[in-house]
Structures are given as C-alpha cells and as structure tokens.
C-alpha cells in the first residue's frame, strides 16, 4: 500500500487551498530569493557557489509558475475540454529559467531584484544545466510545440521519458570526437515535481492466456509478467504572458516492491536488490542516434514503457471524470505520435481498452483509429523503425497478438479493395516476411491513425508519392502536411535581445505572439537609418559569438568577416563534407595567390556524431584537421578561419543563430525532411545558402529567390542521376575539385596519419555515393562566390538580412500548431481564471 493513497484532504478547509497571489515586483522577488537561499537551501556567507543562487532563483520563479499551473489544470477539468497528448521519446527543452522569466514577464523585475542584492542575472542563469533529453530537430520540435500550445492556450500535455543521462557531452580529443556521460540531474532539478501518487505499472515478458468467461466473452490475460513501475515527474510549460501553464509529464522507471520477494525469501538478499537494476535501467539513458535505426531491446522497452504508462494515465483521468463509458472517448482525446517511436501505442490502446476495460475488438478499434495521429519525420530507409517479431514475442507477447489481428483485418480490407493483388498485400503488410520477420512500425502507425503528416511541403509530397504511396492510394484523406516551425519566444525574444528591442521600437511588440507582424519590417529595409541600427545590432551579436568561439575553440573570428555556420547532427546526407571541401577550395585559392576581391570568411561547424556512426566521426576528424591547417597557416591571416565547436546543443544555438551571417542548409535534395535550424537562422537575420530540400523550399518562397542563395540538384535530379552518376568524371573535368581532391589525397591534412581520410575520399569517388557530393560541388562553390561578392556590398547584404527576418513569420511554431489544431486536433482554447 502506497502512502500516497492515504487521503486527508477532507480534513482540510476549502480556504486552505485558496492562496493569495505572489508578488511579481523586484522587492518581492528578492525577498523570496533570499528566503530560499538561506532556509530552503540552507547556505550562508561560507558558501557562495553560484549554483545556489541559480537554485534559489529557480524556486522563486517556480512558485510563480505553480499557482498558474494549478489554475490551468482546474480550468481544463472544469471545462471538461477535449485534450491532446504529444507522445515523444524526446523533448529537447533547453534551459528553463530565462524562458520562465520571459513568459511570466518577469525579466526586468528579476534583473532589478538581483541587482539590488548585488547579483548579476546572466552570471546566475549560466549555472543552469541544459537538459539534453533529445538528439536534434525532432526533440527540439517537440519542445517548440509545447511552448506554442501553452501560448495558444491549448490543452495539450507532453508525455516523455525522464532520462537520467541525456545526450552525451561531446569533447574533441586529439582531433576526434569523444563522448562523456551527461549526468544532468546530479545537482537536482528544481523544475520538476515528482507525482508518485500517479505511479503506473507496466508489464513485460510472460505469456498470454485465452479463455471464455461466463457470459461467453473472449478474455485474454497477460500473465507471469515482469513488472516495472512508471513514476511521473511533471515539468511546467508556461505560455507567453497569458496565465496558462501546461504540463510535460516525464516517466521514470522504478522497481516494484514485490520484485525481490522470491529471491529475498531464498536468502539471496544482495542478488534480489541487484535485480532492481533491470527495471530501473529502462529510463537510464537516451539513445544517441538521430535518424538511424537501432534494433536494441532496451529501446523497444523504452518505447513500450512510454506508451503503456501514458495511456494508462490518460484512461485513469478519463474514468475519474466520465466513469467507464468510453463511447465519447475518441471525440475528446487525441494522441499525436512523434514519429514511430511511440507507435506501439496503437496496439497498447487496443490492449488496455479490451483486456483492462472489457471493450470488444470493434469498439476498441473504432476508438483507437479515431484518436491516433502520426507525424513522419524522415524518408531515410535506415531510420524507418522495424522490430524483429521474435523480440516482440518475448518482450510484448500480448501486443504482438494484437498487431497480428490488426494486420489480418487490414489485409482483408486491402484484398477487398484490390482483389487478387497479392503483391500489394505483401508490400502493405505490417509484417515484413523473411528469414527474420519484422514489424513495420510506420505501417502500424498509418493503419491505426486518422491523420498522417509530413513536416514540410516537399517531404509530405514525397511521402505520398514514394514511401507511403500504397497507403495514400487506399486512404488519400488521411495524408496532410504540417510544415515545421520554431518558437519565436526562445529563438528570437530570448536569444536575441538586441533584435527584440529593435523590433519593439520599430514595429511594436505584437510580433512575439503573432510573428506575421514581422512583415511590417520589409519597408524598413529601404531606410538607411534603420539599416544602420540593424548593422549595429548584428555586429554586437557577432561579437558575442566571436567571444564564445574564442573561449571554446581558441580561434579568433574577426567581426568584419562573413560568419558562415553549419550546426546540426553530423550525417552524410547533411553534407558537412561539401562544406569542408569548400573550405579546402578557399584555402587552395589563398595558397595559389588567387585572392583578388576576397571576402574574409569564418566557417563554423558543430554537431554530434552518433557514437557508432563511423563516417560521421571521420567527417568530424576532417573538419578538425582542416581547421588546424588553415588556422595555423600565416597566409590565411585576415582571409579565412575555421572552427569546429564541440558539444553543440540548444544553449549554444542561442548564441550562434543571432551571430551568423550565412546559414548552411546543404543536404542532398530529398533527404532532409524539413530542418528547423534553417528557420532559427532566418528569423535572426542570416541569409541561407541551400538546396531545394525540406523547408528550404518554403523559406525561399517566403523570402523571395533574390534573397536566397540556391544551388544544387533537385530531388528529381538526384533520383534520375542514380545509376549513371560519375564522380570521377566530374572530378577530372573540374580543376577546382581536382585540386581539392589532390590536397586531400596527398595527405595535406593528415601528415602524421597516412590513410586517415581514405574512407572519406572513397565515399566522394564512389559512383554509388547516395549523397552525390561531387555532383553539387561546382554549383556550390559558384554560389558561395556569389554570396561572398554580395557580402562585400554591406547595404545590399543588410537589406537582404532585414528581409529574411521580415519574411520569417510563417516559420513560427504558433502557425504550425494553429495548423495542427485546425486540421487534426480541433481543440478550443481555454483561458484559466485569474
Ligand atoms: C530518428 N528523424 C530517430 C531520433 C530522431 C529523426 C531518432 O526531424 C526534424 C526535421 C529533420 C529530421 C528530424 C528527424 N529526426 C527525423 C530521428 O531529420 O529534417 O526537421 C523535425 O521534424
């Protein structure tokens, strides 16, 4: 019996729960800060570690969130409104403190209050760890979405996992990536609230028992299971100055108490305690693979753990408010699946409705396929999740039975629609046959959902024409596009105070909630005085970035140079290699004395490689090696600098995006589903050099082709070149590329390690290179030259920079979420009572 079920609530008077509002002024904030510092944390003059100032401030702000959080919950319960649950294995939230201050409207008061105590806000805020509970774009998108849902006052709750260790910390050791564990919870986390009273039980393993009960109903019991507890931790998600605070609920795995009893009685106490590990390991660590498949059992455990605990939580809440009548459940609840990672939810909702709440197949299925919605984030075959049937059989036997049944009924539907088309049935089956049969999670997600969306216009089109074309033929109405977006609170108001102030003064403050207001900047591009202020703001941001690069990398970036940045996960399809080849080309030009009309350039590359991804790690080595040679050569002084910045993460992007002139979005066309870094750069006034891929296409449409540096093959061009791509012919015919390859192949960048870059060289020369790096080289360096020439005309560049910000409104995640709500969720907004 858990102590949390022991309610004393009836003994507390109603007034007890009615608290006076907390002060929001500098003095009141400083008073609370002092209280938490001295009493809650128990520190005094003997300990002035900056961390405790951070912790005291975090608790002060958390109090202000807490009262709004409770009122938001109450408002949702009272309105008994429809709700959405965003299920995701990743939420890359970034630091919470400055976001809470901004959204509560407390930044000035806090700054003043701390100043009165002799403290400086920035120094204190820099002590917050950056929670890295995600790999890259997909996890950060989930975080931007939560911010927008709270700002739009939509009843949306995030469900995820509370990893003990987030994304690894990257260091560069001897010119190569090294990984260190990220124990981000070591010093505690003031932003989370443990809710042990809502603990859920999750089953694994065992076997199923089928029987018929007294009333003739088929009953299934899942028995002899190994159970694990899921303990929720709630994180507040404040909306922008609107009294709404939504919830991100993260599950931590814990051993059950009875877990050990058998062994305990047998006298093997240490062994039984050690068994706890198995259970507690489930949420120990985030899988650090972005967009690549992984057949590991622990990963499937994580996925099911999230699905089972979250669905139980939602059903418990439904029963609390509506009893055991599920007839209206599907109208009032919607689960948005963030890729296939939580797709086992389709089968799990069926299981809970049937085995735990007694529904029949048909009513359970009608509910399930009316409340699940699936977002696809990639076309890369290596990222499409498939799980071995035998793994499912041993870990989740009941779920596999349900998936088989879903498949049998689905294939019946297919054969009714296309009688005798066995090939189509085989193609569309949820089970891929073969010597080691697999469950195709994307197909399960499509069959079990009423909505399937891609994340940018091109991506959604390619889904319906390629990967999912059979499903599109069957259910065209399910498929839709939702172009990604990013939150203008963190990615403009918070990270770029200089630009924010300039906007407030020139177009008013409405842009924070309605980013389309940025359009009003466009005419100011022609105003010379405004351009001068824009230039000063941008220069200050470049100085901030240059200082960070000097600190972290020890490389000097002169402020007059073109700051050229590519930060994102390292992957061959993103083609960091093409960027490096361009740097080698510039270096070669310098060495040849070909520097007439030169534009000084600083190239910044950053990003993590999945620890098991050999080529990605080679690319990091090459970037470091080229940077070393370039920066050490006196001939490059004032002309070219290059740095690889280690441990790229949300907090670093907050400095990088505002300080960048040119944003590199150079993936092989058709491969980057959307990209979201591209949007952050654009919003902050960078120009883009990019291919017609992902959201780049829409960025170019919004800003106008004259304000975008386009190069490279189209997605169609890439596909039609396959089969007769001849990189060696291209290299032989292009003197610039030939010289770059000569430098690489002569060992210029690996003097002491012959052969180090052979694998990279081979990949460029390989006629089957899927990323076709050599094919786009000429067009890329010519376009880079055009960008460099444009940069030498500061007035033109400034105009283009202003126009990029002005036309970036479409890429607000508020617009994206409004689209999800209009087409998929159909939620009403709820204003909490003040
Ligand atoms: C796959 N797939 C496995 C972790 C992440 C994954 C494990 O999603 C972004 C896009 C971007 C796309 C990324 C993605 N991450 C796909 C993943 O590569 O183009 O912008 C958000 O939609």
């Amino acid at each position: 019996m858990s102590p949390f079920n022991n309610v004393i609530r009836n003994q507390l008077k109603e007034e007890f729960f009615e608290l006076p509002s907390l002060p929001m002024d500098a003095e009141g904030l400083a008073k609370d800060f002092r209280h938490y510092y001295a009493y809650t944390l128990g520190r005094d003059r003997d300990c002035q570690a900056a961390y405790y100032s951070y912790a005291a401030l975090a608790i002060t702000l958390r109090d202000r969130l807490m009262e709004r959080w409770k009122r938001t919950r109450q408002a949702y319960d009272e309105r008994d409104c429809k709700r959405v649950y965003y299920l995701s294995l990743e939420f890359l939230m970034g630091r919470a403190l400055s976001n809470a201050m901004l959204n509560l409207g407390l930044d000035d008061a806090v700054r003043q209050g701390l100043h009165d105590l002799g403290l400086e806000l920035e120094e204190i805020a820099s002590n917050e760890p950056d929670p890295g509970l995600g790999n890259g774009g997909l996890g950060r998108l989930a975080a931007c979405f939560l911010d927008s849902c709270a700002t739009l006052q939509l009843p949306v709750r995030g469900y995820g996992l509370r990893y003990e260790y987030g994304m690894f910390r990257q260091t560069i050791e001897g010119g190569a990536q090294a990984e260190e564990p990220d124990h981000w919870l070591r010093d505690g986390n003031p932003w989370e609230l443990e809710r042990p009273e809502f603990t859920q039980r999750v089953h694994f393993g065992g076997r199923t028992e089928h029987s018929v009960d007294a009333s003739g109903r088929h009953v299934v019991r899942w028995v002899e299971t190994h159970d694990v507890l899921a303990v929720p931790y709630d994180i507040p998600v404040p909306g922008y100055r609107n009294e709404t605070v939504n919830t991100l609920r993260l599950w931590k795995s814990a051993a059950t108490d009875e877990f050990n009893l058998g062994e305990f009685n047998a006298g093997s106490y240490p062994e039984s305690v050690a068994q706890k590990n198995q259970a507690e390991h489930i949420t120990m660590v985030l899988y650090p693979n972005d967009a690549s498949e992984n057949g590991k059992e622990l990963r499937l455990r994580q996925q099911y753990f999230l699905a089972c605990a979250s669905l139980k939580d939602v059903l418990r809440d439904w029963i609390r408010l509506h009893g055991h009548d599920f007839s209206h459940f599907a109208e009032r609840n919607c689960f948005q699946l963030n890729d296939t990672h939580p797709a086992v939810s389709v089968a799990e909702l069926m299981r809970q409705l049937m085995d735990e709440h007694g529904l029949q197949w048909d009513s359970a299925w009608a509910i399930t396929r009316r409340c699940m919605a699936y977002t696809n984030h990639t076309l890369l075959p290596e990222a499409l999740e498939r799980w071995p049937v035998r793994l499912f059989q041993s870990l989740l036997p009941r779920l596999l039975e349900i998936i088989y049944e879903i498949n049998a009924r689905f294939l019946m539907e297919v054969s009714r629609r296309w009688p005798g088309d066995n090939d189509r049935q085989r193609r569309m089956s949820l089970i891929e046959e073969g010597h080691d049969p697999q469950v195709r999670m994307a197909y399960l997600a499509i069959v079990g959902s009423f909505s399937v969306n891609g994340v940018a216009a091109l991506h959604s089109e390619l889904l319906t024409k390629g990967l999912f074309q059979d499903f599109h033929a069957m259910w065209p109405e399910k498929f839709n596009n939702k172009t990604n977006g990013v939150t203008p609170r963190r990615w403009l108001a918070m990270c770029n105070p200089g630009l924010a102030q300039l906007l407030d003064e020139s177009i008013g403050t409405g842009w924070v909630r309605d980013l389309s207001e940025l359009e009003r900047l466009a005419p100011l591009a022609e105003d010379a005085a405004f351009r001068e202020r824009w230039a000063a703001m941008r220069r200050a941001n470049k100085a901030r970035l240059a200082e960070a690069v000097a600190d972290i990398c020890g490389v000097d970036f002169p402020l007059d140079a073109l700051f050229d940045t590519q930060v994102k996960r390292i992957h061959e399809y993103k083609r960091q290699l093409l960027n490096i080849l361009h740097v080698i080309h510039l270096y070669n030009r310098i060495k040849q004395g070909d520097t007439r009309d030169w534009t000084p350039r600083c190239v910044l590359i950053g990003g993590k490689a999945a620890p098991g991804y050999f080529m990605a790690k080679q690319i990091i080595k090459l970037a470091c090696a080229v940077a070393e040679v370039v920066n050490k050569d006196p001939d490059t002084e004032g002309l070219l600098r290059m740095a690889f910045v280690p441990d790229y993460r949300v907090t670093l992007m907050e400095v990088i995006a505002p300080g960048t002139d040119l944003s590199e979005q150079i993936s092989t066309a058709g491969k980057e589903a959307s990209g979201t870094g591209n949007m952050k750069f654009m919003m902050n006034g960078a120009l883009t050099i990019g291919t017609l891929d992902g959201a780049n296409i829409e960025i170019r449409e919004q800003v106008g082709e004259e304000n975008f540096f386009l190069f490279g093959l189209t997605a169609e061009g890439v596909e039609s070149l396959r089969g007769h791509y001849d990189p060696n012919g291209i290299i032989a015919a292009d003197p610039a590329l030939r010289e770059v390859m000569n430098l690489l192949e002569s060992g210029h960048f690996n003097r002491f390690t012959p052969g180090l870059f052979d694998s990279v060289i081979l990949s460029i020369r390989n006629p089957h290179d899927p990323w076709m790096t050599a094919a786009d080289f000429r067009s890329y360096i010519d376009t880079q030259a055009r960008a460099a020439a444009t940069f030498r005309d500061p007035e033109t560049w400034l105009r283009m920079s202003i126009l990029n910000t002005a036309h970036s409104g479409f890429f607000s995640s508020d617009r994206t979420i409004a689209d999800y709500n209009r087409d998929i969720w159909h939620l009403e907004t709820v204003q909490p009572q003040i």
Side-chain angles (χ1 to χ4, degrees), residues 90 135 137-138 141 289-292 299 339 341 376-378 383 455 484 573-574 671-676:
E90 306 190 8
N135 273 284
L138 170 143
L141 184 75
N289 301 318
D290 185 90
S292 81
R299 171 76 172 172
D339 214 292
H341 315 156
N376 172 284
H377 293 266
T378 180
V455 290
N484 283 168
Y573 84 79
K574 294 176 187 281
K671 301 302 173 194
E672 187 71 272
S674 164
T676 45

